Amino acid sequence: MLEIKGLRASVQGTEILHGVDLTIRAGEVHAIMGPNGSGKSTLAQVLAGHPAYTVTGGTVTYEGKDLLGLAPEERAREGVFLAFQYPVEIKGITNAYFLRSALNAIRKHRGLEELDPIDFIGVLEEKAKAVELGDEMMNRPVNDGFSGGEKKRNEILQMAVLEPRLAILDETDSGLDIDALKTVANAVNRLRRPDNATLIVTHYQRLLNYITPDFVHVLADGRIVKSGGKELAHELEARGYDWLRPEAAAV
Amino acid sequence: MTAPAAAAEHYLAAHRAFLGNGAGAAPAWLAALRARGIARFGELGFPTTHLEEWRFTSVAPIVATPFALPHGGGTSPAERDLEAFLLPGAGRHRLVFVNGRFAPRLSATAGLPAGVTAMSLAEALVRDPEGVRAHLGTSGADAASAFAALNTAFLADGAYVHVAAGTVVPEPLQILFVATAEPEPVVAHARTLIVAERLAQVAVVESYAGAEGARYLTNAVTEVVAGEGARAEVYRIQRESLGAFHVATTHSRQGRDSVVHVHPVAFGAALARHDLTAVLDGAGSSCLLNGLYLGDGAQHFDHHTVIDHAQPHAESHEYFNGVLDGRSRGVFNGRIIVRPGAQRTDSKQTNNNLLLSEEARADSQPQLEIYADDVKCTHGATLGPIDEKALFYLKSRGLGAAEARALVTYGFGAEILGRMAIPELRAQLDGLVRARLLGGGGSAG
């Protein structure tokens, strides 16, 4: 589904990713872990097409297409979804309206009929229940006045509504209490299907207690320095990241 | 004589003619009020940009035009011309003024509920002189503003709304000031007095409109008095002709536990200056100033607000959003005064400006004067182009670049409209905001 080869990216002239290689197949859950400043969020943002990052080398192939050649909205319509580390407030636009606009943009791209507000409300109510967001949150402006936990659950709600093929969760667990973490994890687990894939970017192993990854990768200094199964996450939790640094330096 | 002095002399002469014109029949207290107004105007003269309060707003074009009081036999609009400025499907009762003069034929006051008075000030002076006298001109607005003083000097008519204690008015009352295209530029000294007695509740939609392209001056003063536990909502919709000038003062004074909401929306006029003062003169009172201005071309909007916390345990929320395109300019000055003893004041102010073009400009200035120590006061202002973070967020959900921009822009207006409690008005204004910001039908909402 996704093949990243030798990806290099920089922000404001400073290279952050120094050649990332990663392959994700349909049905898989991958976790990328790493210390602060290792480039985890940069990788997530580059995959979503954030304009602040410049790709300076490498290729990303998604479903056989050149992902890097697509505008952010085209990537979304093709099924790429990024759950933001810092979700953005949109004043004056209700959550319900925003979600319907987004879903309809994607449906239109796929040649499906757009949903009217009545049809949509049915879809939304069901999905909102799964992330334990009340109806009143649907009529509030997007993320405006939401608590940190509400914002993260709102990201997962968007994911549930838009049904992406490739979901990238950028530190969705940070700032969540244990109940909210379980809610998010349960929602993500329910969305797992053989034809979609999930990439979880996280600093902590905690979320992986509830979402079992098929592969765990360690990103340090802009490269993937180690890959393994779910047991690697536990090892990282016990030993930290420092033991991997010399290995990174030796590459 | 300097231009401002000559212009002031023009109004002083007009005032002498006005007094000789049958207006002398006013009761002594009203004559004294007018005399105080013209004297104050004479002292202050027209403001210049040397004054701090007028630093960003030049009234030179107003000074340069000899606006005259309209003659009796001016044109009168047809009822259908007013429809666009009235609420569809709500607010059966209305007072309509043409060039500042009450137009009974266009108004509708039959069947007002018991305890509710809505009539012209001229009529109220005959029917309820003591009720009018108790509040008219007591706000002190004249002292601070030459324009408000001039309005009082020419006080002859206007709108009077009085709601008796404990009366809840079920439907919004509408007041429409409309200007017609006259051969000579005219001035209308629009005046409104709204009194909600103890535990009364009322919503008033006050609209200002004019014939397209007409050049005139609206010089408006609105005084709102909310008694103990009363609730008054004032929606002030400025949709003047783009050739017109609009100068206004809105002043509210609140008793204990009262609620006042003022929603100033500015779409029209070449130059619009609005001074809003809210005095929270009762413990536990609450005030909302919720404003929106949409500028294009060379439009100039200036909002100067004063929220005066005179008593403890009161709260005020102030939100002003501006969307400025073309070479338009928005000025916002938000002063918050917390008097000694006004402990536990909770005051919040925000002014956000979206600049849609390189030439559009906004100036925003908060001014906090806090003389009590146990208070919460926050303020914040933004100005700039559309937030790139917001655009990327929307695009990352599949929205195209144009749609994402439209949504964020529309959101600036929708945020303010979302605080309005009259669904029909909200829908009407939503249509106007979309037409202005999305260039027609648009896709948002």
Side-chain angles (χ1 to χ4, degrees):
Chain A
M1 174 177 285
L2 185 76
E3 193 168 19
I4 304 173
K5 277 188 180 164
L7 182 64
R8 291 173 173 268
S10 61
V11 62
Q12 290 173 335
T14 306
E15 191 172 274
I16 310 286
L17 300 180
H18 305 300
V20 171
D21 298 289
L22 179 66
T23 300
I24 299 175
R25 283 173 290 270
E28 294 177 348
V29 174
H30 289 241
I32 292 198
M33 302 184 69
N36 287 328
S38 59
K40 305 189 297 290
S41 279
T42 297
L43 176 61
Q45 302 262 25
V46 166
L47 293 177
H50 195 293
Y53 298 91
T54 310
V55 173
T56 49
T59 58
V60 179
T61 310
Y62 166 74
E63 307 262 275
K65 296 186 185 71
D66 170 20
L67 187 72
L68 301 175
L70 300 178
E73 61 270 28
E74 292 168 332
R75 299 182 197 196
R77 292 171 193 167
E78 292 289 338
V80 176
F81 178 89
L82 171 65
F84 279 51
Q85 183 179 5
Y86 303 110
V88 181
E89 293 174 9
I90 311 289
K91 298 261 188 192
I93 303 299
T94 66
N95 225 4
Y97 181 75
F98 163 58
L99 279 166
R100 186 166 66 88
S101 303
L103 180 60
N104 280 338
I106 291 171
R107 288 179 67 92
K108 203 170 151 189
H109 176 75
R110 293 180 188 163
L112 297 169
E113 213 174 299
E114 295 185 34
L115 295 182
D116 66 28
I118 309 289
D119 292 335
F120 178 70
I121 207 74
V123 173
L124 186 59
E125 274 174 8
E126 177 206 324
K127 309 273 186 185
K129 221 170 279 170
V131 290
E132 293 171 23
L133 281 174
D135 288 352
E136 77 284 356
M137 306 290 284
M138 301 307 114
N139 292 316
R140 275 172 48 189
V142 181
N143 294 324
D144 187 15
F146 285 28
S147 71
E150 285 168 345
K151 284 183 184 173
K152 295 298 178 78
R153 278 184 283 149
N154 202 26
E155 292 294 290
I156 303 304
L157 171 63
Q158 293 173 32
M159 175 179 160
V161 169
L162 302 180
E163 298 182 328
R165 301 218 47 211
L166 173 66
I168 304 159
L169 310 185
D170 187 8
E171 308 228 3
T172 299
D173 52 330
S174 60
L176 291 185
D177 64 36
I178 194 70
D179 291 330
L181 188 77
K182 283 181 190 168
T183 303
V184 163
N186 287 338
V188 172
N189 285 331
R190 268 199 296 274
L191 294 170
R192 275 181 84 162
R193 289 204 314 245
D195 64 343
N196 66 20
T198 309
L199 176 62
I200 298 169
V201 173
T202 180
H203 184 70
Y204 307 102
Q205 174 265 340
R206 200 171 68 132
L207 180 63
L208 307 180
N209 288 337
Y210 304 99
I211 305 173
T212 310
D214 299 299
F215 299 94
V216 174
H217 313 275
V218 179
L219 191 69
D221 301 325
R223 286 186 189 87
I224 288 181
V225 294
K226 194 164 184 69
S227 296
K230 61 177 187 270
E231 65 289 342
L232 177 57
H234 294 285
E235 192 175 359
L236 291 166
E237 184 73 3
R239 297 179 64 188
Y241 293 107
D242 284 347
W243 60 285
L244 290 161
R245 283 192 187 274
E247 208 176 314
V251 172
Chain B
M1 211 183 297
T2 63
E9 183 50 45
H10 163 77
Y11 289 97
L12 294 172
H15 190 256
R16 287 189 290 273
F18 165 74
L19 290 181
N21 238 344
W29 65 268
L30 180 56
L33 199 62
R34 286 176 185 156
R36 195 183 77 195
I38 199 69
R40 188 62 182 147
F41 173 74
E43 282 162 30
L44 292 171
F46 282 108
T48 69
T49 51
H50 298 299
L51 294 171
E52 180 61 29
E53 291 288 290
W54 292 86
R55 193 150 65 98
F56 295 116
T57 298
S58 166
V59 297
I62 296 176
V63 169
T65 312
F67 292 101
L69 288 178
H71 300 293
T75 38
S76 183
E79 202 162 345
R80 64 173 183 280
D81 296 334
L82 304 182
E83 270 169 25
F85 304 107
L86 292 168
L87 276 183
R92 279 173 297 135
H93 300 113
R94 63 177 193 244
L95 302 174
V96 176
F97 298 81
V98 178
N99 300 326
R101 288 282 174 271
F102 184 55
R105 196 176 54 78
L106 299 169
S107 301
T109 54
L112 278 166
V116 184
T117 307
M119 58 176 63
S120 76
L121 265 173
E123 188 181 349
L125 284 168
V126 176
R127 293 212 195 180
D128 184 16
E130 289 313 306
V132 175
R133 184 184 180 177
H135 299 292
L136 188 67
T138 59
S139 68
D142 302 358
S145 157
F147 285 97
L150 196 59
N151 177 294
T152 298
F154 286 96
L155 218 169
D157 207 349
Y160 178 59
V161 172
H162 181 273
V163 184
T167 303
V168 176
V169 188
E171 280 184 82
L173 303 171
Q174 300 193 68
I175 300 170
L176 172 60
F177 289 97
V178 62
T180 55
E182 298 296 321
E184 303 289 322
V186 297
V187 52
H189 298 287
R191 186 87 183 201
T192 301
L193 174 61
I194 299 167
V195 181
E197 300 282 5
R198 188 174 179 274
L199 297 173
Q201 289 191 24
V202 64
V204 177
V205 181
E206 202 186 322
S207 301
Y208 295 83
E212 210 174 307
R215 184 175 173 84
Y216 57 88
L217 168 64
T218 297
N219 179 30
V221 172
T222 297
E223 290 167 304
V224 181
V225 181
E228 184 179 331
R231 182 183 177 93
E233 291 173 19
V234 180
Y235 298 84
R236 200 183 178 288
I237 317 302
Q238 190 269 91
R239 292 168 66 187
E240 304 278 24
S241 144
L242 289 174
F245 304 99
H246 183 93
V247 182
T249 296
T250 300
H251 187 286
S252 60
R253 180 175 294 275
Q254 300 181 234
R256 188 183 184 93
D257 300 323
S258 63
V259 177
V260 168
H261 290 183
V262 181
H263 304 269
V265 175
F267 293 153
L271 167 64
R273 161 75 178 228
H274 192 181
D275 292 349
L276 296 105
T277 299
V279 182
L280 293 110
D281 203 13
S285 53
S286 164
C287 166
L288 169 71
L289 297 186
N290 182 51
L292 176 65
Y293 43 97
L294 304 184
D296 202 352
Q299 282 185 289
H300 181 111
F301 296 104
D302 182 342
H303 290 90
H304 267 62
T305 70
V306 178
I307 294 182
D308 187 345
H309 282 272
Q311 296 291 333
H313 296 282
E315 59 170 31
S316 59
H317 290 93
E318 184 174 16
Y319 308 92
F320 273 79
N321 278 7
V323 181
L324 302 166
D325 206 343
R327 288 170 291 129
S328 67
R329 182 158 182 201
V331 178
F332 175 82
N333 191 95
R335 189 168 157 212
I336 296 171
I337 306 168
V338 181
R339 305 266 173 199
Q343 301 293 10
R344 301 299 174 98
T345 289
D346 188 348
S347 180
K348 185 180 180 206
Q349 175 190 93
T350 61
N351 172 227
N352 295 316
N353 294 281
L354 181 57
L355 305 179
L356 294 179
S357 81
E358 290 284 326
E359 291 98 337
R361 177 170 168 188
D363 295 281
S364 184
Q365 194 177 343
Q367 233 179 309
L368 305 188
E369 296 167 30
I370 301 173
Y371 306 103
D373 53 17
D374 186 11
V375 302
K376 207 160 84 185
C377 278
T378 63
H379 64 89
T382 62
L383 42 106
I386 293 189
D387 181 16
E388 288 295 329
K389 288 201 300 286
L391 287 184
F392 175 62
Y393 190 63
L394 295 175
K395 287 183 198 169
S396 80
R397 299 301 182 249
L399 298 175
E403 202 180 348
R405 289 182 71 84
L407 210 57
V408 174
T409 306
Y410 168 74
F412 260 72
E415 182 200 352
I416 299 299
L417 302 188
R419 294 192 190 92
M420 300 183 173
I422 304 172
E424 295 85 356
L425 178 64
R426 218 167 45 215
Q428 188 183 43
L429 294 176
D430 189 76
L432 294 170
V433 167
R434 281 199 223 184
R436 281 290 291 271
L437 300 184
L438 308 178
S443 57

